[in-house]
Amino acid sequence: MKYNHLAIIGLSATMALTPLGRANADGGDIAGGILGGIIGGVIVNEANKNRQPRKVYRAAPTGPSVSSATRAENRDIQTSLNYFGFPAGTPDGVLGRRSRSAVSQYQAHMGYPATGQLSLYEKDFLISSYHRAIAGGAATHQQIATNPMGPRGLLLTYRDQAVGGTGYATQPPVLTMQPQPAAPVIETPETIEAAAPLAGGLPTFLGKTGGQSLASHCNTVSLLTNTNGGFTTLAALSDPNIALNEQFCLARTYAIAQGEDLVANVQGVTGDEIARQCEGFGPAMKDHVAALSLKSRDEVLAGVSGFVLSTGMSPQQLAGTAKICLSVGYRTDNMDVAIGSALLLTALGEQVYGELMGHHLSQGFGATARSDLAASWYDMSLGALERGQPAVFAPGQPERTALIRAASSAVQGGTAGTMTAPVQPVSTLPTFSIQN
């Protein structure tokens, strides 16, 4: 009995010195389905994961337990961050405080929300850019040597090339941003494609985006913001046009990130398939997008509300579809898809998305530049925020509402343009359902 008592005491002491692991379960009850003839699958967040046992060590733990595959991927992230000039420390496969700080620097540099947590797109772009740079050999070194931003400039160059940009990253930024009329795009007989005639027999030679790229524009805005030492503040507001462009591109970034978070959890379908479905959604909303440049806010929303009723979809399903397609529209530079999705969300009661229509009308992307029409969209979205509707874009900026209100008020009074988007018939609408 004495020996048993001593054994029990020894065992208790051993257990007291042994750290126990704690398994965290990712919770979430967001689920949804992609309904329709092409895409099948469900948007889900895993809930109540099975607890995984951990080995018990007598030595003090050095960090959370991660799989070898995750650790290897984390090392790739750290190596890539270090290469492009965002110091993440020794690539040990553990994303600690220093690595998260480097991630935030990378995100801020690219114009993404500086959360310290990489989205799937941000991670894939970072790692693939690193491998591309390494594979470039001497050519990469030459690019770095001639780029005023060094290795960091490569990331902007690669992103600009991916969206069909013009190599802005190797050029000095323009420090003023005054609205200018869009110049017509003149194409040679060798490169021009057959132009489909519009209603009345008028051809179009500007393509789907009217000769403008919002993605390239936002890349330039990002460079300008970095050059000026950060985003314009309310106290330092001197050029309202610059402030609105910064907030426009920031909202675009948040919209892309929100949709990518949903798409990352879609099972049984690829991102390209979802993008194709959303691209087909553009013609379904094109007449409402065209009306944005011509009619009052209330008239536009009345038309969109009628469209909502004609779909036969529940508001929840339609909102899920719109958030995914909003992300796709901005990521692929398809303004019909992006604006159409934002209109749907606004008509469904999420009035904070009205800010996007204000930006598009104010800056003339995907719509005629109409600062007079933009004012009512800004007022509606900012009023919704002031009434307590949750912020969707940059919720960590406490003065953002006041900044946009001041900047938009300063640029009001514009006149209607002369170019309007052609109205096309409604086509098939994809369905992305999100269940809470």
Side-chain angles (χ1 to χ4, degrees):
M1 177 66 70
K2 179 177 181 180
Y3 293 107
N4 289 339
H5 182 67
L6 292 176
I8 291 173
I9 293 175
L11 178 59
S12 300
T14 302
M15 293 177 65
L17 294 173
T18 305
L20 299 180
R22 183 177 64 189
N24 293 326
D26 294 334
D29 56 1
I30 298 177
I34 301 176
L35 310 177
I38 298 178
I39 294 183
V42 184
I43 300 175
V44 294
N45 282 338
E46 295 181 358
N48 300 321
K49 290 183 178 178
N50 294 329
R51 294 180 176 271
Q52 300 296 327
R54 291 178 55 189
K55 294 182 179 180
V56 178
Y57 300 91
R58 295 182 182 276
T62 58
S65 176
V66 295
S67 68
S68 58
T70 300
R71 190 177 291 273
E73 182 178 78
N74 289 346
R75 282 196 293 268
D76 286 342
I77 292 172
Q78 292 169 317
T79 300
S80 302
L81 289 168
N82 286 333
Y83 179 85
F84 288 114
F86 308 105
T90 303
D92 56 5
V94 178
L95 299 183
R97 180 180 302 175
R98 187 171 183 180
S99 295
R100 295 299 178 194
S101 175
V103 167
S104 295
Q105 293 176 47
Y106 158 67
Q107 291 172 319
H109 174 69
M110 299 300 292
Y112 306 139
T115 63
Q117 302 287 338
L118 289 169
S119 70
L120 179 63
Y121 172 80
E122 294 166 358
K123 178 192 68 178
D124 290 345
F125 178 77
L126 173 66
I127 295 176
S128 63
S129 295
Y130 167 71
H131 289 297
R132 176 180 176 181
I134 294 299
T140 299
H141 293 303
Q142 180 66 23
Q143 284 182 288
I144 294 174
T146 58
N147 194 307
M149 301 182 70
R152 295 189 180 192
L154 282 180
L155 288 170
L156 298 175
T157 299
Y158 292 163
R159 186 176 70 176
D160 192 44
Q161 292 172 349
V163 298
T166 57
Y168 71 92
T170 60
Q171 302 297 326
V174 180
L175 297 182
T176 60
M177 192 178 300
Q178 300 298 328
Q180 297 180 357
V185 177
I186 307 299
E187 296 179 314
T188 65
E190 291 76 17
T191 60
I192 193 169
E193 297 181 357
L198 305 179
L202 296 176
T204 176
F205 302 103
L206 296 181
K208 293 189 297 183
T209 62
Q212 295 176 307
S213 168
L214 179 58
S216 293
H217 174 73
C218 285
N219 289 339
T220 304
V221 171
S222 178
L223 282 177
L224 175 63
T225 300
N226 290 334
T227 301
N228 291 341
F231 286 96
T232 301
T233 64
L234 186 60
L237 178 61
S238 59
D239 189 328
N241 195 53
I242 290 180
L244 288 178
N245 273 282
E246 289 178 340
Q247 296 305 319
F248 185 10
C249 294
L250 186 62
R252 171 184 174 271
T253 298
Y254 270 85
I256 291 175
Q258 181 187 44
E260 286 176 347
D261 287 342
L262 296 175
V263 171
N265 291 314
V266 175
Q267 298 181 1
V269 66
T270 66
D272 288 340
E273 290 171 329
I274 291 176
R276 283 194 294 271
Q277 286 277 307
C278 288
E279 185 175 355
F281 164 49
M285 292 295 296
K286 199 164 187 178
D287 50 350
H288 302 292
V289 173
L292 184 66
S293 303
L294 305 171
K295 298 181 179 181
S296 69
R297 181 196 71 198
D298 292 341
E299 289 176 303
V300 173
L301 287 178
V304 177
S305 296
F307 174 83
V308 169
L309 294 175
S310 71
T311 64
M313 294 167 57
S314 69
Q316 186 180 38
Q317 288 176 317
L318 205 51
T321 296
K323 288 174 182 177
I324 289 177
C325 288
L326 177 63
S327 172
V328 170
Y330 279 141
R331 181 169 55 82
T332 61
D333 234 8
N334 190 324
M335 295 299 99
D336 287 335
V337 172
I339 297 176
S341 300
L343 282 171
L344 279 177
L345 288 165
T346 306
L348 289 168
E350 299 192 49
Q351 295 180 336
V352 292
Y353 285 93
E355 175 192 325
L356 297 176
M357 272 67 74
H359 290 317
H360 281 282
L361 286 167
S362 172
Q363 304 305 319
F365 281 92
T368 302
R370 293 286 304 268
S371 58
D372 55 329
L373 294 178
S376 63
W377 291 97
Y378 280 131
D379 287 342
M380 179 184 66
S381 62
L382 298 177
L385 289 170
E386 290 166 348
R387 291 190 300 271
Q389 193 168 119
V392 175
F393 312 123
Q397 290 189 4
E399 68 170 21
R400 186 170 185 269
T401 299
L403 175 64
I404 294 177
R405 188 177 293 282
S408 61
S409 296
V411 298
Q412 286 179 21
T415 58
T418 58
M419 294 179 60
T420 58
V423 176
Q424 295 189 5
V426 170
S427 65
T428 304
L429 175 69
T431 306
F432 303 95
S433 172
I434 298 179
Q435 300 175 357
N436 293 325

